[in-house]
Amino acid sequence: MNLEKKLKDYNQSRKIIPNEKKVTETIRKSIDAYCSVEQERLLTYWEFLWIQLRLIRKRWWLFQILLLLLLWAALASVQGEQLLQRIFGVAASLFIILIIPELWKSQTYQSMEIEATSYYSLRQIYAAKMFLFGIVDIVLITFFCVSSAITMGILLSQLLIQFIFPMTVTTAICFGILCSKYSFSETAAIMMCITWSA
């Protein structure tokens, strides 16, 4: 019994009462240490691109693939040069319109303030997204043009004039409106692309 009493007395004498100022100072110093370590290790541009790739919704690329597959199937059944030109022009505009929602989602979800506070600027974030879309779209379009030329006998010059040129103009219209100093919505960009297609 005497041993238990001694242990109890010892535990009561060893009770530590925390000093609030010291606890606050320790927290502040640990936050400073964490922030200084994190500042020394910045993301490389390739890591930044990888993160942006993971953030992009892949469904827009799937929609672009479906559009190209539908265009390829329509080309097999189309008779007549004028109808072929119209189909190419409309498909080129739709191909670019499918990019707009992903590039404009920051504005839609009002996350511009969060992106503005990141280490990389908004210009770099959009450049990374456009770079990634550009790489994937070049692969998709190259595969589509080569397979159309081989399987259907369509000349590459005709694909260039009827599909790539309208797509380039649609892209210029789209980015011209979205990057304007005036506030336009993604709907305005889509409407201008559809007007150009018409």
Side-chain angles (χ1 to χ4, degrees):
M1 202 51 127
N2 195 14
L3 181 62
E4 286 183 24
K5 187 175 187 246
K6 283 183 179 183
L7 285 173
K8 193 175 191 180
D9 290 342
Y10 178 75
N11 281 338
Q12 287 178 352
S13 68
R14 299 291 297 161
K15 249 187 193 175
I16 299 172
I17 300 171
N19 185 344
E20 290 296 323
K21 287 183 181 179
K22 299 283 184 180
V23 170
T24 306
E25 183 68 21
T26 304
I27 292 171
R28 187 189 60 76
K29 283 183 180 179
S30 64
I31 290 172
D32 290 343
Y34 175 77
C35 290
S36 66
V37 168
E38 285 298 313
Q39 284 179 347
E40 292 173 4
R41 189 200 170 283
L42 293 175
L43 287 175
T44 65
Y45 198 68
W46 296 111
E47 291 172 327
F48 173 67
L49 275 176
W50 178 251
I51 289 170
Q52 290 300 317
L53 179 65
R54 289 180 30 214
L55 290 174
I56 291 175
R57 290 184 185 154
K58 311 309 183 277
R59 69 177 174 195
W60 302 112
W61 285 325
L62 291 175
F63 289 150
Q64 286 181 325
I65 291 170
L66 286 174
L67 177 71
L68 290 176
L69 288 173
L70 287 173
L71 178 61
W72 189 77
L75 291 178
S77 62
V78 169
Q79 301 295 327
E81 187 71 24
Q82 280 189 327
L83 186 57
L84 187 68
Q85 292 173 0
R86 290 179 185 158
I87 289 174
F88 271 131
V90 170
S93 294
L94 287 175
F95 190 81
I96 296 304
I97 287 172
L98 290 173
I99 296 174
I100 296 173
E102 182 61 35
L103 291 178
W104 208 243
K105 78 176 177 184
S106 302
Q107 191 75 10
T108 304
Y109 296 126
Q110 299 175 346
S111 63
M112 301 294 278
E113 294 85 10
I114 296 169
E115 289 178 350
T117 61
S118 67
Y119 175 75
Y120 288 99
S121 68
L122 282 175
R123 179 174 286 184
Q124 290 171 319
I125 291 170
Y126 278 106
K129 288 180 183 179
M130 287 189 289
F131 177 73
L132 292 169
F133 262 100
I135 288 174
V136 172
D137 287 352
I138 285 173
V139 169
L140 292 176
I141 291 169
T142 302
F143 183 75
F144 170 75
C145 289
V146 169
S147 65
S148 296
I150 291 172
T151 59
M152 295 182 201
I154 298 173
L155 298 174
L156 286 176
S157 61
Q158 188 176 10
L159 286 168
L160 182 71
I161 293 168
Q162 302 301 330
F163 186 67
I164 305 295
F165 177 69
M167 187 176 62
T168 306
V169 174
T170 304
T171 305
I173 291 169
C174 172
F175 288 133
I177 290 171
L178 293 178
C179 299
S180 170
K181 64 181 179 180
Y182 303 108
S183 179
F184 288 107
S185 68
E186 62 185 301
T187 309
I190 290 171
M191 293 308 291
M192 287 300 294
C193 292
I194 290 171
T195 304
W196 155 250
S197 176

